[in-house]
Amino acid sequence: MLPPHVPEICLRLADEAHDLWHRTEEELSEIGLPPPFWAFAWAGGQGLARYVLDHPETVSGMRVLDFASGSGLVAIAAMKAGAASVTGADIDPFCEAAIRLNARANDVAIGFEGSDLVGRDSGWDVVLAGDVFYEKPFADRVVPWFEALRARGAEVLVGDPGRSYLPRQRLEKLATYEVPVTRALEDAEVKRTTVWRFV
């Protein structure tokens, strides 16, 4: 499947978003499985991937972390844009398989980190994060980490379609896109998505 805003990238995604999402909420939660965030191309990730492909100088020749990588969409875009290396990081163990399959489908190599990286620093040149400000506790953990990474010289870029806990006062707008999304998962068929730089 080709994400509508980034048709250069082929991803293995869920065909029936609504059914899969509700099956996860209603049935799989009973056995402790997380929602399948990795099975969808979210608006923030699509916007961020588009920006990276259109501005390859953002990642070219650099060590990149794709934080909360999900399907690996943004990581794949970074490799296609010429990054020296990319690590996709996500605490959902299913993401590792999704990222490896999607990387192979796009003929790129992407590393994977399955532990919680918040607060850690492995010297990345660029940190990319799509759709990470959807709940306050997580935002409260991520913002100081992004600030620390930025303070030591890393570029931190965020793709966000207007999530509630986006720290706008810490951000500089780089680009805005109209991204087609799945109505079953979002409140609209198109989400205005902005790519921001932490400053």
Side-chain angles (χ1 to χ4, degrees):
M1 181 177 294
L2 306 179
H5 203 64
V6 198
E8 303 94 321
I9 295 175
C10 178
L11 296 178
R12 295 172 185 269
L13 299 172
D15 290 328
E16 297 297 329
H18 190 270
D19 290 346
L20 178 59
W21 199 255
H22 282 285
R23 184 175 301 122
T24 299
E25 288 182 340
E26 295 165 8
E27 299 171 16
L28 300 185
S29 64
E30 295 177 12
I31 55 175
L33 292 177
F37 292 109
W38 51 268
F40 308 102
W42 297 90
Q46 287 194 61
L48 190 53
R50 177 79 272 145
Y51 184 84
V52 166
L53 289 171
D54 291 347
H55 300 88
E57 69 280 2
T58 304
V59 298
S60 182
M62 299 184 190
R63 294 179 58 224
V64 177
L65 173 68
D66 177 24
F67 177 68
S69 191
S71 67
L73 169 61
V74 177
I76 293 164
M79 284 303 294
K80 284 182 170 283
S85 66
V86 179
T87 299
D90 206 297
I91 59 171
D92 182 339
F94 292 104
C95 289
E96 182 173 13
I99 289 169
R100 293 203 189 290
L101 286 169
N102 289 328
R104 189 176 308 126
N106 289 276
D107 198 29
V108 296
I110 296 170
F112 181 77
E113 175 57 62
S115 62
D116 185 350
L117 293 183
V118 176
R120 290 172 45 191
D121 187 348
S122 292
W124 309 286
D125 302 305
V126 180
V127 175
L128 305 172
D131 278 299
V132 296
F133 293 107
Y134 52 87
E135 64 180 18
K136 189 175 187 321
F138 192 57
D140 288 346
R141 292 185 64 221
V142 169
V143 169
W145 179 48
F146 284 174
E147 289 174 341
L149 291 168
R150 180 69 195 115
R152 70 96 171 133
E155 185 85 289
V156 179
L157 302 183
V158 172
D160 189 274
R163 302 292 182 211
S164 297
Y165 302 103
L166 181 71
R168 293 178 188 272
Q169 71 282 2
R170 300 288 301 143
L171 302 170
E172 172 191 358
K173 184 184 295 187
L174 298 178
T176 301
Y177 303 101
E178 300 293 326
V179 180
V181 293
T182 303
R183 182 68 190 230
L185 301 176
E186 298 281 11
D187 58 0
E189 292 180 358
V190 175
K191 295 289 283 187
R192 178 177 290 270
T193 300
T194 302
V195 175
W196 306 87
R197 172 190 287 128
F198 257 75
V199 295

